[in-house]
Amino acid sequence: MLTALAGGTAWAEADSTAEIPVPGMVTLVDLGAHKCIPCKMMAPILEELKKEYEGRAAVIFIDVWEHREAARRFGIRAIPTQIFYDKDGKEAFRHVGFLDKKSIVHVFRKLGVE
């Protein structure tokens, strides 16, 4: 079983038993695939964000080609898709396609993460 960690693990696989969104923490869930080109382009960005925001925001990657149930659970129609949740666990923003670091940081700030 592969799970997401509350500390924010980019490119950690998450299964349907993982607590997403992470309770009490702004959470970014990136749903994509390891073999998807835009997803591969986002991997180093997510890795940086995981380190920079550790303890302040969770960054989780789910490969929907390996975990097809996640695509249904999150209503994914195209990859990559990023879903941002606020601290209360409510979906606050959703984006489809490549999302650069500056844009992700902007959403984090709007959700109160400094």
Side-chain angles (χ1 to χ4, degrees), residues 30-98:
D30 182 61
L31 297 117
H34 292 299
K35 296 178 182 174
C36 151
I37 299 301
C39 304
K40 286 181 180 183
M41 292 168 52
M42 285 194 64
I45 295 169
L46 295 174
E47 211 37 63
E48 285 178 34
L49 291 167
K50 176 196 84 159
K51 292 174 185 169
E52 290 175 23
Y53 286 88
E54 187 171 358
R56 297 179 289 150
V59 178
I60 301 167
F61 173 79
I62 302 173
D63 187 318
V64 296
W65 290 354
E66 293 177 9
H67 303 280
R68 296 199 182 276
E69 72 284 353
R72 287 186 296 279
R73 175 182 170 190
F74 293 100
I76 302 306
R77 294 181 176 205
I79 60 171
T81 294
Q82 301 81 36
I83 306 172
F84 292 81
Y85 294 91
D86 65 17
K87 290 180 182 180
D88 297 323
K90 294 181 180 148
E91 185 175 324
F93 181 72
R94 182 179 285 238
H95 177 268
V96 177
F98 176 84

